[in-house]
Amino acid sequence: MCEKHDPLAAIIAAAMPQVAGTLAPAAAPPRPAEQQVLKPAIGNVMDALQQEDSHASRRRRLWELGHACHCPLVGVGFPLGVLRKLVDKVTSGKVLADDYEVHVGAVTECGNRNRLSEALQKELERRYAAVLLRFRAAKTTGQVAAMWRTAVANGDVAGAFWAGLTHPRCNAELEEQMCRDLHMVQHQAGACVRADISKFHATLAENARLTHDLAKAQQRSAALLADKSGDAERHAAQLMQLRAQSVGKDSLIDSLKVELEQLRESIPGLESRAKLAERLGQMEERERAMRNQINELKLELAKLQTAAEPVQEETRQIVEHVMKMPLSLNDRAVLCVGGRSGNVATYRELIEREGAQFAHHDGGLEDNANRLDASLAAADLVICQTGCISHSAYWRVKDYCKRTGKRCVFIDNPSISSLARGLEQAGAE
């Protein structure tokens, strides 16, 4: 510990008179032999009576701590800048001493109550007020020791060291143990500082290398920037030329427009002629489209004529089959709803050959949907092609026939054979 007395202590002591009413240890009257007590192993200035009253609630002051505690407490509790500022304030001037001399002088002055020790006490109370409030919850020496060990494990020892030393439950053994722990923490911190210095030097070398690389990169960037600047200047010159050419072309276009207007005004009826020419072109285009459509229709007609013979044979067979069914269609009105538009003629021939009247409604695709009810009312038999009819027409037919009791045949497939089978089924019922 810092037991060396430096001349700075004498300078500070001369500049700081003792607090009124407090005597120096040398001026205190000798105590009787029966009242003298032995000091503990750790140099503590508290007498035996104060040790017996260790369970009191008052915290110890800085000058009441043992001299062995002052050196580590000043070392970890005050940054050098703060310590020098406090010394300058107390001595009313700038102390011409190095950091070690200021530290030794402050440690020496902590042995008794004076202006500097009181200033240090006040600064410690202010700086570590939160830690002091946390240590206030400790009610026994074991709890104070546990809180100190926790602070050492967490690496936050400055405030805990001050709060633990001044706690009313801190005895001599705990005080010595805290000083030992802090001594080892300072050794570990010194080792960490040395490791950090090595890392710092390595970082400096790395920084120098990166600075060199950065300088090279900046040189390359400057060269590229110069090239790009040259390209930009050339492009700007080309752009100016193109703009000049564009302005010349715009002027030429304007002059040509003026000449065109003059020519139009000089030719009478030019506008009507242009319209007639446009209309003539449209008519020629329409004529070509109609010719192509006529050729396509001729081809389809030839195909239909070729396929008409098998269809007529099938129709004749279906008609003969329908004529054999027991359903009599003579003088009946038959309404066919839905179906393919190409089969309507065959439906009509099939029904009318039995002497019935044929009516057709496509279910609202082209025919008016409002006419469906009138057609249903006039029919004696309804044939509903469910595969080629809208949902609305289907439900209207089904609901009407159900309400009126009118006979209705539903056919899924809109083919002629399906129609014949539906009529045969209706005649069998």
Side-chain angles (χ1 to χ4, degrees):
M1 301 299 175
C2 299
E3 297 181 355
K4 178 183 178 181
H5 186 72
D6 193 81
L8 178 63
I11 297 174
I12 297 176
M16 296 184 298
Q18 300 295 330
V19 179
T22 303
L23 296 177
R31 302 176 64 183
E34 61 273 9
Q35 295 182 359
Q36 294 181 359
V37 294
L38 296 177
K39 295 183 179 180
I42 185 75
N44 198 318
V45 297
M46 296 181 64
D47 54 16
L49 295 177
Q50 290 175 325
Q51 290 182 3
E52 292 176 359
D53 194 20
S54 61
H55 294 283
S57 61
R58 188 180 73 82
R59 295 174 49 248
R60 290 186 292 176
R61 304 295 186 265
L62 176 62
W63 49 87
E64 296 174 351
L65 298 176
H67 181 67
C69 302
H70 292 154
C71 179
L73 182 59
V74 174
V76 301
F78 298 97
L80 289 175
V82 175
L83 181 61
R84 182 176 288 275
K85 184 177 180 180
L86 289 174
V87 173
D88 290 342
K89 182 178 181 181
V90 170
T91 58
S92 300
K94 186 173 182 63
V95 177
L96 300 177
D98 58 15
D99 294 338
Y100 177 77
E101 293 173 346
V102 171
H103 172 78
V104 172
V107 170
T108 303
E109 295 304 317
C110 289
N112 52 73
R113 185 173 183 177
N114 49 59
R115 290 179 59 190
L116 180 58
S117 61
E118 288 180 349
L120 296 177
Q121 166 82 21
K122 183 177 180 181
E123 177 64 19
L124 288 170
E125 293 290 312
R126 184 195 65 80
R127 182 178 293 270
Y128 304 112
V131 184
L132 292 172
L133 182 62
R134 187 170 68 249
F135 268 72
R136 188 180 298 176
K139 302 302 181 182
T140 63
T141 304
Q143 292 178 356
V144 176
M147 297 181 71
W148 164 249
R149 288 192 295 270
T150 302
V152 172
N154 295 334
D156 184 17
V157 297
F161 190 65
W162 168 247
L165 288 177
T166 59
H167 196 278
R169 298 296 180 265
C170 180
N171 54 23
E173 290 77 7
L174 178 57
E175 181 178 314
E176 183 175 1
Q177 184 62 42
M178 290 174 65
C179 291
R180 291 177 179 180
D181 293 341
L182 185 61
H183 184 76
M184 298 307 300
V185 168
Q186 288 176 332
H187 280 300
Q188 295 174 2
C192 293
V193 169
R194 289 192 295 272
D196 291 340
I197 291 175
S198 300
K199 293 180 180 179
F200 176 72
H201 290 307
T203 303
L204 288 179
E206 180 69 14
N207 184 49
R209 185 183 64 80
L210 293 176
T211 302
H212 181 68
D213 295 341
L214 178 61
K216 289 184 177 180
Q218 288 177 344
Q219 292 177 359
R220 292 194 298 269
S221 177
L224 290 175
L225 181 60
D227 294 340
K228 295 297 182 182
S229 299
D231 294 340
E233 292 177 357
R234 289 192 297 271
H235 292 162
Q238 294 176 0
L239 181 60
M240 293 297 294
Q241 294 177 359
L242 293 176
R243 286 180 177 175
Q245 294 176 4
S246 177
V247 171
K249 290 180 179 180
D250 292 340
S251 302
L252 180 60
I253 290 173
D254 293 337
S255 62
L256 291 176
K257 286 182 178 179
V258 173
E259 292 180 2
L260 179 60
E261 292 296 332
Q262 292 176 356
L263 290 174
R264 286 178 178 175
E265 293 177 357
S266 63
I267 301 174
L270 180 61
E271 184 176 359
S272 59
R273 291 180 184 180
K275 291 182 179 179
L276 289 174
E278 182 180 359
R279 186 175 181 184
L280 178 61
Q282 293 176 356
M283 293 180 68
E284 290 177 352
E285 182 67 25
R286 183 177 180 184
E287 181 182 1
R288 284 194 297 270
M290 293 180 68
R291 287 178 180 177
N292 293 334
Q293 186 177 4
I294 290 172
N295 294 332
E296 292 176 358
L297 291 175
K298 286 181 179 179
L299 293 176
E300 292 182 1
L301 179 60
K303 292 179 181 180
L304 291 175
Q305 288 177 354
T306 303
E309 296 179 359
V311 174
Q312 292 176 357
E313 182 65 23
E314 181 184 357
T315 303
R316 184 171 62 253
Q317 293 177 0
I318 293 173
V319 171
E320 292 176 356
H321 177 73
V322 174
M323 291 173 64
K324 295 177 181 179
M325 65 184 179
L327 179 62
S328 176
L329 300 178
N330 190 20
D331 296 331
R332 298 287 186 91
V334 179
L335 173 63
C336 182
V337 182
R340 295 193 183 98
S341 59
N343 294 340
V344 174
T346 306
Y347 297 161
R348 182 183 299 277
E349 181 181 357
L350 180 62
I351 299 299
E352 288 182 352
R353 288 187 61 177
E354 294 299 319
Q357 297 179 1
F358 178 80
H360 179 262
H361 194 281
D362 63 0
L365 298 178
E366 295 183 1
D367 299 336
N368 192 348
N370 296 327
R371 294 175 55 190
L372 181 59
D373 292 339
S375 300
L376 290 171
D380 298 319
L381 175 64
V382 180
I383 300 174
C384 182
Q385 303 273 4
T386 59
C388 300
I389 191 175
S390 64
H391 291 286
S392 177
Y394 170 78
W395 288 110
R396 291 180 67 177
V397 170
K398 187 174 182 180
D399 181 67
Y400 183 86
C401 295
K402 183 177 181 180
R403 286 188 291 102
T404 60
K406 187 163 293 189
R407 200 168 192 179
C408 181
V409 178
F410 294 95
I411 301 174
D412 296 335
N413 192 349
S415 63
I416 300 172
S417 58
S418 298
L419 176 62
R421 284 194 297 272
L423 292 175
E424 182 179 358
Q425 181 182 358
E429 294 178 353

